[in-house]
Amino acid sequence: MKLDTGTLRVLREHRERDAWNARASQQCAEGEEAHDWVETGKILTAEDGSWLHPDVLSKEFQRLYEQADLPPSNLRDLRHGAAALVKAGGGGDPHDAKVKLRHSTITLTSDTYMELFEEYEDELTEAAAAAVPPARASTED
């Protein structure tokens, strides 16, 4: 999924901290316990840079979600929220959501999210009708 510039900035800062950790693990002073940094090229990693199982992120998301006392949800639901944000951000149609969510077909997007875009269809129908000039009133009375 394509990310906005603010999120990319935060992820780049996180990645820079990881790079610093990698350098620091190689430069431990003599006598200090060195921890080896595993370079995976990933952004979200375990504390030593190694691969992080997706279930770890799901469990942390769930913990934070419950701590915030929000209604039941899971990490996968954020993807559905992204489709709603496409609509709220003015994207407006299923094709925009398809592109944002990187679905392989418009059918998948439409089948899953069409309810979100029904309002768009109503707006499009009204706009199309407004583009047709109204009939002129007869001047013969």
Side-chain angles (χ1 to χ4, degrees), residues 2 15 24-25 27 30 46 62 71 76 88 95 115 132 139:
K2 189 168 179 127
R15 185 74 179 126
S25 72
Q27 298 171 355
E30 196 172 316
Q62 195 65 41
R76 178 85 177 139
H95 184 266
E115 288 180 27
V132 177
T139 55

Side-chain angles (χ1 to χ4, degrees), residues 58-128:
S58 293
K59 286 179 179 173
E60 180 64 9
F61 174 83
Q62 195 65 41
R63 185 188 70 75
L64 292 170
Y65 208 80
E66 289 170 1
Q67 183 179 3
D69 198 29
L70 295 170
S73 185
N74 60 52
L75 193 55
R76 178 85 177 139
D77 291 339
L78 294 180
R79 189 167 173 80
H80 300 305
L85 290 173
V86 166
K87 171 74 173 105
D93 69 26
H95 184 266
D96 293 333
K98 174 198 174 289
V99 170
K100 175 71 177 164
L101 299 172
R102 297 185 185 219
H103 284 163
S104 59
T105 67
I106 193 72
T107 304
L108 172 62
T109 309
S110 295
D111 288 351
T112 308
Y113 299 106
M114 200 57 206
E115 288 180 27
L116 288 174
F117 296 100
E118 285 176 359
E119 179 183 316
Y120 168 77
E121 243 184 282
D122 292 344
E123 291 169 11
L124 186 61
T125 301
E126 293 300 322

